[in-house]
Amino acid sequence: MLTLQRRHLVGHDILLARHGNHISAMRVDRSAGRVIALLDDGSVDSAPNLISPDLQLPDTLKSVIREDWKFLTLVSTGIAAVCGVMLAAAVSMAGMSGDPAMAQLLANSYSAY
């Protein structure tokens, strides 16, 4: 089951346990998988962001879009193409009708789309 939630950063907890209130700022180095803290005395400390490299983190909205952007683009393009074909068919049916009232009814019913 897919649950989207904010990822908990383990490195923050490790650094808070080590230094407590002596941390001025923290940042995440995603490429290295570490959290880096600037301490009050000007020194820098870092901690790994994962307990285990094999640990499967919960999915977030950004991670789902980052992994599945090709599929989502394909589905969106397909839906737009089907909607365009349906709209073109409705307009052409409105033009083929010999009755002006029927043409007006079909034209007005699809103008909202």
Side-chain angles (χ1 to χ4, degrees):
M1 185 168 128
L2 179 67
T3 58
L4 300 177
Q5 52 186 323
R6 186 178 184 280
R7 289 186 178 159
H8 184 72
L9 301 176
V10 178
H12 283 199
D13 290 342
I14 294 170
L15 291 170
L16 283 171
R18 283 184 195 164
H19 304 289
N21 291 336
H22 300 289
I23 298 173
S24 323
M26 277 198 268
R27 69 177 177 87
V28 179
D29 184 5
R30 295 198 190 282
S31 62
R34 301 186 70 76
V35 176
I36 301 168
L38 176 65
L39 304 176
D40 291 339
D41 61 359
S43 63
V44 176
D45 190 14
S46 66
N49 207 17
L50 293 176
I51 297 172
S52 167
D54 299 332
L55 182 66
Q56 181 65 28
L57 294 173
D59 291 325
T60 62
L61 183 60
K62 288 181 182 179
S63 69
V64 169
I65 290 174
R66 189 179 321 120
E67 292 170 3
D68 298 333
W69 70 270
K70 289 180 183 178
F71 173 72
L72 295 171
T73 302
L74 182 66
V75 168
S76 299
T77 304
I79 290 172
V82 168
C83 290
V85 167
M86 289 176 57
L87 187 61
V91 169
S92 67
M93 285 185 67
M96 290 183 345
S97 174
D99 185 17
M102 180 60 80
Q104 186 66 28
L105 176 67
L106 286 173
N108 288 341
S109 65
Y110 285 100
S111 65
Y113 297 110

